[in-house]
Amino acid sequence: MDHPRYPRPLGLAPLAYGGDYNPEQWPEEVWAEDVRLMGEAGVTMVSVGIFSWALLEPERGSYEFGWLDRLLDLLHAHGIRADLATPTVVPPAWFYRDHPEALPVTREGHRHSFGSRGAICHSSPAYQHAAAAITEQLARRYGSHPAVALWHVHNEYGVPVSDCYCDESAAHFRRWLGERYGTLKELNSAWGTAFWGQRYTRWDDVRPPRLTPTAGNPAQQLDYARFTNDAILANFKRERDLLHRLAPGIPVTTNFMTALSQCQSLDYWAWGREVDLVANDHYLVAEDPRSHLNLAMAADLTRSVAGGRPWLLLEHSTGAVNWQPRNLAKRPGELARNSLAHVARGSEGAMFFQWRASRYGAEKFHSAMLPHAGTSSRIWREVVSLGAELGKLAEIRDSLVRSDAALLWDWESWWAQRLEWRPSVDLDARERADAWYAATWDAHLTVDFAHPEAELGRYPLVVAPALYLMTEAAARNLRQYVENGGTLVVSCFSGIVDEHDTVHPGPHPGALREVLGLAVEEFAPLRAGQEVALAAVDGGPALRADAWTEYVVPDGAEVLYRYADGPAAGQPAVTRHAAGTGHAYYVSARLDAAGLARIVELASADAGLTLPRLPHDLEVVERAAEDGRRYLFAVNHADTDAVLPLAAPGTELLTGTPVPGSVTVPAGGTRVVRY
Ligand code: GAL
Ligand code: ZN
């Protein structure tokens, strides 16, 4: 797979520290205080101009750059780098006056209105034209401004709306399909239109999957998801290419939202290849008592779409957000713990939304680096102290995270599995990805994510938590991986359909029968709340599952667990198949956390991985530099101090003290040991 380039923000020597800065919401007198306080907090870079289109271009073709000139000069005078945005996520009111057709239309046929943000039909030529024009103006004016370190294109592509069902999008979809399939005959075959008499005889009859009386065509819906991703990515590339051409030398990024709960419509494997520097935004699910797992997973996914290279956390929050049902404040110390956990997993800094809390608008109850409470506040003190800590970590730049195993993840498969009329509403791809990720996190394994068609040879252990859709190429890849000595764990309801949501021929799981050495004769989902036990064939402790079981017929695989009760009582539940010099496990039920832990333990032993014995909630990740230096990050999520044994003596970077055989990580604290 291609990897993104990785130039760090231009001229930024330390780690990135700062946030979204919206000075346009404040009188200019306040700016002087801003930059003074930024200095006090150790801020090194701020993101500016993200929502400023209407202020920079108050009417079509008439520009007011004076305020941005003064702002960039001021930042530069204070040694603060600028991550300068193209404001194309918020077209101004005048744009919609002329082009109401650029407002996106929902599946139900309702058109969105102006007055929020992100109301964009990505197929609209008028939008593309206006976005290119303002991007060109910015590139020409600021491409050689000494403050500019990074281009921040748009904001969080894919949210709050991604797909549009208007006529312009329909025409664009037909062009996209024309390129993909060439002829209507091919399209009819790929979409399986013999079913329910959906056959097309004219291209004009082909439409986006708008509201239908009952389940729509799944292949059409899946292609629409792919089309939407491609249409949005094309708009990113258009801006990126303009910036590369008119302002060469400044890296281009856009902020992803890799947490699966936060943006569902983009295939970040594709996006990771198009940006110069991968950047991510992450927001905790505040009510989740173990929200640090979701953080770690998003960070690992971000690093993985960056091809393992360093990336940048462009937004997270200092405290509460404002858009969840109950916006819990962060606990003391959590701000630093979150930031350093991202850095441990490959981020080259920690940026926030936002610098100064807004007094008006929809986000006035969102936390900031400089809260409404001002500098006499816990958040401000923690912000200043984090700035000092990050200042001590500059030397970790460019070091790479060392991983033990890989989890397979494919956005296309997720899109497909989420469509209507699946065998059980309780089996959810994201839930399984979260659950298997948690099992590896609890086992203290550091994992990369990988696309199922990626080269996997360097991983002793590969887990597929949810790959309902699997291409022939992916199936071959996994077979080869196992035959060459790998240990593969496949979770239920994987390898079922091809890229058109068509069931692979023969018994399930068609793409994986051979490598797993079994067939699945029938799915056996459970009633809501029903649980089953799985008895170990060797007499070990039983496992528990809910929601999902299957009738598994081994064909070469050995049986490790059998269903003790439930619809498949007495039948195989977990199997292990020796193929070539490797092994493939199959888990046919939705196991609980203890069950997943047991399977991870068994498979790790096959893979030759020794699971470290560490305190339960101690997160330990290593980054290694080219010169051989290693940085061990230990983040303690527990309420008691933890002792981390060290392979070699080293130096703790945050306290600057030598550490001999072990380091004590205070409750809720972080330690970074160089050795
Ligand atoms: C992000 C967005 C920011 C801000 C933030 C609030 O998704 O990029 O502009 O809205 O959420 O949490
Ligand atoms: Zn549209």
Side-chain angles (χ1 to χ4, degrees):
M1 200 175 283
D2 295 332
H3 292 310
R5 290 157 288 224
Y6 163 61
R8 70 171 62 123
L10 196 65
L12 185 68
L15 296 181
Y17 187 51
D20 282 22
Y21 179 34
N22 298 309
E24 61 273 41
Q25 296 175 14
W26 299 89
E28 289 198 23
E29 302 85 79
V30 177
W31 301 2
E33 186 191 48
D34 283 330
V35 288
R36 181 175 60 76
L37 290 175
M38 285 176 190
E40 204 173 310
V43 164
T44 60
M45 183 167 81
V46 290
S47 305
V48 293
I50 299 174
F51 303 107
S52 307
W53 193 344
L55 299 159
L56 294 170
E57 189 181 2
E59 279 294 338
R60 181 184 299 279
S62 83
Y63 300 99
E64 283 181 11
F65 288 119
W67 68 271
L68 189 51
D69 294 350
R70 291 192 294 282
L71 180 76
L72 291 174
D73 291 348
L74 182 69
L75 291 173
H76 182 59
H78 288 78
I80 297 162
R81 312 291 299 147
D83 167 31
L84 180 58
T86 66
T88 53
V89 71
V90 277
W94 58 254
F95 170 76
Y96 295 110
R97 185 199 307 145
D98 298 341
H99 294 289
E101 82 286 356
L103 289 162
V105 172
T106 65
R107 188 165 184 240
E108 294 76 17
H110 301 303
R111 204 176 273 284
H112 286 279
S113 297
F114 176 78
S116 169
R117 67 174 178 188
I120 293 160
C121 163
H122 280 278
S123 299
S124 158
Y127 167 73
Q128 291 163 2
H129 190 259
I134 184 68
T135 298
E136 181 171 340
Q137 290 290 327
L138 287 164
R140 289 191 191 283
R141 191 168 186 98
Y142 300 112
S144 51
H145 193 287
V148 179
L150 187 63
W151 288 113
H152 178 301
V153 172
H154 203 90
N155 189 64
E156 291 181 345
Y157 279 106
V159 295
V161 277
S162 51
D163 36 357
C164 174
Y165 298 81
C166 77
D167 290 339
E168 192 70 65
S169 293
H172 190 191
F173 184 41
R174 284 189 287 272
R175 292 197 297 277
W176 183 91
L177 290 167
E179 274 169 35
R180 186 173 172 87
Y181 296 111
T183 63
L184 267 186
K185 186 160 176 269
E186 277 300 312
L187 175 88
N188 278 309
S189 148
W191 284 13
T193 55
F195 181 80
W196 282 355
Q198 292 167 3
R199 176 136 311 150
Y200 293 100
T201 50
R202 276 183 54 177
W203 278 103
D204 285 351
D205 296 333
V206 180
R207 303 238 153 76
R210 292 174 177 152
L211 190 65
T212 48
T214 182
N217 181 314
Q220 177 191 13
Q221 296 181 69
L222 182 53
D223 269 348
Y224 208 65
R226 292 183 176 117
F227 157 76
T228 297
N229 176 70
D230 288 359
I232 300 176
L233 185 53
N235 283 349
F236 165 75
K237 288 199 223 170
R238 189 173 302 107
E239 288 193 34
R240 178 204 59 193
D241 292 349
L242 262 174
L243 294 167
H244 278 167
R245 184 158 60 77
L246 299 174
I250 302 170
V252 177
T253 192
T254 182
N255 41 349
F256 296 172
M257 295 193 99
T258 59
L260 303 182
S261 48
Q262 290 167 7
C263 174
Q264 320 202 340
S265 55
L266 302 187
D267 175 356
Y268 286 121
W269 291 124
W271 284 74
R273 293 192 287 271
E274 301 296 343
V275 295
D276 296 330
L277 167 68
V278 166
N280 198 48
D281 295 351
H282 183 263
Y283 289 95
L284 297 181
V285 179
E287 288 188 72
D288 175 359
R290 299 192 83 202
S291 57
H292 50 279
L293 267 70
N294 182 278
L295 183 160
M297 181 169 165
D300 287 343
L301 203 38
T302 307
R303 180 186 67 255
S304 302
V305 300
R309 286 185 176 62
W311 53 278
L312 180 58
L313 176 70
L314 216 45
E315 287 181 30
H316 68 152
S317 71
T318 59
V321 299
N322 63 301
W323 42 266
Q324 293 179 8
R326 281 162 290 274
N327 296 294
L328 275 57
K330 288 194 181 177
R331 307 293 305 142
E334 200 173 352
L335 180 169
R337 207 155 62 237
N338 292 164
S339 300
L340 294 169
H342 282 291
V343 174
R345 292 177 189 274
S347 176
E348 303 264 273
M351 310 266 296
F352 293 91
F353 178 85
Q354 61 177 333
W355 162 251
R356 186 188 275 272
S358 306
R359 286 186 54 216
Y360 52 85
E363 298 189 311
K364 55 186 164 296
F365 298 123
H366 197 290
S367 59
M369 299 174 84
L370 184 57
H372 293 297
T375 53
S376 337
S377 60
R378 175 178 64 82
I379 287 191
W380 176 253
R381 286 189 293 277
E382 292 194 20
V383 162
V384 171
S385 125
L386 176 61
E389 294 197 325
L390 290 174
K392 297 177 189 162
L393 295 182
E395 66 174 84
I396 63 129
R397 275 172 327 167
D398 297 335
S399 58
L400 300 180
V401 172
R402 202 192 47 73
S403 61
D404 303 298
L407 291 193
L408 300 181
W409 180 253
D410 178 7
W411 274 274
E412 291 202 1
S413 176
W414 185 28
W415 298 337
Q417 190 178 335
R418 282 186 327 193
L419 297 174
E420 302 136 297
W421 290 8
R422 296 324 189 195
S424 169
V425 295
D426 293 328
L427 194 61
D428 178 74
R430 195 183 109 203
E431 183 280 333
R432 282 293 82 184
D434 287 349
W436 281 96
Y437 182 83
T440 58
W441 195 97
D442 282 329
H444 299 285
L445 295 174
T446 302
V447 298
D448 289 339
F449 283 84
H451 186 275
E453 292 176 25
E455 166 58 41
L456 300 169
R458 68 200 149 109
Y459 300 109
L461 175 66
V462 169
V463 178
L467 284 182
Y468 160 74
L469 178 155
M470 193 178 286
T471 60
E472 276 303 332
R476 258 197 317 277
N477 190 40
L478 297 187
R479 265 199 317 269
Q480 246 166 39
Y481 167 73
V482 174
E483 280 162 11
N484 295 337
T487 301
L488 173 70
V489 178
V490 175
S491 169
C492 51
F493 202 51
S494 292
I496 307 295
V497 298
D498 68 10
E499 57 270 40
H500 304 302
D501 201 49
T502 294
V503 172
H504 286 288
H508 301 310
L512 291 166
R513 280 196 310 267
E514 195 183 324
V515 69
L516 297 175
L518 54 77
V520 170
E521 200 179 299
E522 212 179 320
F523 303 133
L526 302 180
R527 296 194 164 83
Q530 187 184 355
E531 287 195 8
V532 294
L534 283 63
V537 169
D538 70 1
L543 310 182
R544 303 206 61 81
D546 69 356
W548 185 265
T549 64
E550 294 172 354
Y551 297 102
V552 174
V553 183
D555 177 16
E558 69 175 304
V559 179
L560 303 181
Y561 288 84
R562 285 183 184 279
Y563 290 107
D565 48 26
Q571 305 294 312
V574 178
T575 60
R576 175 177 178 267
H577 184 226
T581 52
H583 292 97
Y585 285 73
Y586 186 58
V587 176
S588 69
R590 191 173 85 166
L591 288 181
D592 68 6
L596 297 180
R598 178 66 189 141
I599 304 299
V600 166
E601 193 178 310
L602 287 172
S604 296
D606 265 335
L609 279 172
T610 317
L611 299 180
R613 302 211 163 278
L614 292 172
H616 176 58
D617 258 332
L618 185 65
E619 175 174 8
V620 179
V621 182
E622 189 174 273
R623 288 181 66 155
E626 229 176 19
D627 65 5
R629 288 180 180 208
R630 288 161 179 259
Y631 300 96
L632 203 59
F633 284 74
V635 189
N636 187 358
H637 299 279
D639 306 330
T640 49
D641 296 359
V643 176
L644 174 66
L646 299 170
T651 304
E652 203 291 314
L653 296 179
L654 300 178
T655 54
T657 49
V659 280
S662 68
V663 62
T664 299
V665 191
T670 303
R671 290 291 178 259
V672 184
V673 178
R674 178 188 61 217
Y675 68 99

